[in-house]
Amino acid sequence: MRLTVLGATGATGGHVLRQAAAAGHKITAVVRAPSRPDFEHPNIDVVRADVTNPAELREAIDGHDAVLSGIGPRNRKATGIAAAATAAIITAMADTGVRRLVTISAAPVGPTPSEDSILVRKGLIPILRSMLKDVYADLAAMEAELARSDTDWTAMRPPKLTKAAVTGVYRTQIGGSVPRGATIARADVAHAMLAVVDDPATYRQPVGIAY
């Protein structure tokens, strides 16, 4: 496939880039100046663009089969970027006729599974939502942008992210979060993002992922 990858210099986006290239996809990696991926491959073209400006994204998206976005707030000071970038991506996709979009959200954005322990449901998750309320508000606004759009979107909802190596072995839950799912490696989130690109069952759905 021809893929556009945004957030290609990020912790998860870098894994998407490497795995997509290894799988033989042709990739346009969108970066913000002066950033550049620390990984080069003949299948990767790097373009610089403001990810909140649809006009600058059109050329990177036009003619591609799907867009994968790893853009999200890296800290509480960067909140707002996920929703703003997603709105711009959706506009550029509408302008170019590209329909498939896969993004990264977070498990606490959705309802906590009833199968989780009372400690998790009544303690850990409410604490996380309070501590990171601006981050989760940004991601919730991003998911609202997706729901209003005409794209075939999927929002991956991982729990705590780790630096472990890719395994390709994890659980997913279409429409919600994975019960009793505490962690997932960024590398496996990237693996799952690529796996769902051509899966119509995940269109216009959040997808939980965890070990």
Side-chain angles (χ1 to χ4, degrees):
M1 291 182 288
R2 294 191 66 193
L3 304 176
T4 300
V5 177
L6 295 101
T9 59
T12 304
H15 287 292
V16 174
L17 206 60
R18 289 175 181 272
Q19 292 179 32
H25 301 302
K26 303 292 184 182
I27 307 140
T28 298
V30 180
V31 302
R32 287 173 281 183
S35 300
R36 188 175 180 87
D38 59 1
F39 171 69
E40 295 185 359
H41 192 280
N43 285 5
I44 299 174
D45 290 323
V46 179
V47 300
R48 289 184 170 85
D50 177 354
V51 297
T52 64
N53 186 334
E56 293 191 20
L57 293 177
R58 288 190 192 109
E59 186 175 350
I61 291 174
D62 192 21
H64 289 63
D65 298 304
V67 177
L68 292 89
S69 175
I71 295 172
R74 297 184 179 182
N75 53 57
R76 277 175 274 190
K77 294 182 179 179
T79 54
I81 186 62
T86 299
I89 293 166
I90 289 169
T91 299
M93 290 176 68
D95 291 343
T96 57
V98 178
R99 294 192 53 81
R100 186 66 174 123
L101 172 60
V102 183
T103 69
I104 302 175
S105 184
V109 172
T112 305
S114 59
E115 299 93 330
D116 284 1
S117 70
I118 191 168
L119 179 62
V120 170
R121 289 187 286 112
K122 301 296 185 181
L124 179 59
I125 296 300
I127 290 172
L128 282 175
R129 286 173 176 157
S130 176
M131 291 177 59
L132 300 174
K133 62 180 180 179
D134 292 337
V135 171
Y136 294 138
D138 184 15
L139 294 174
M142 178 196 75
E143 290 199 19
E145 291 283 355
L146 294 172
R148 286 192 294 267
S149 77
D150 191 39
T151 60
D152 294 326
W153 58 269
T154 300
M156 307 301 297
R157 287 180 178 172
K160 181 180 179 180
L161 295 164
T162 75
K163 297 180 180 179
V166 63
T167 68
V169 180
Y170 43 78
R171 295 178 293 149
T172 57
Q173 180 71 42
I174 296 175
S177 297
V178 175
R180 298 176 297 278
T183 65
I184 185 75
R186 292 181 181 276
D188 273 328
V189 174
H191 184 278
M193 291 176 73
L194 290 166
V196 303
V197 166
D198 58 356
D199 182 2
T202 67
Y203 288 8
R204 303 191 65 79
Q205 294 278 359
V207 175
I209 176 172
Y211 294 130

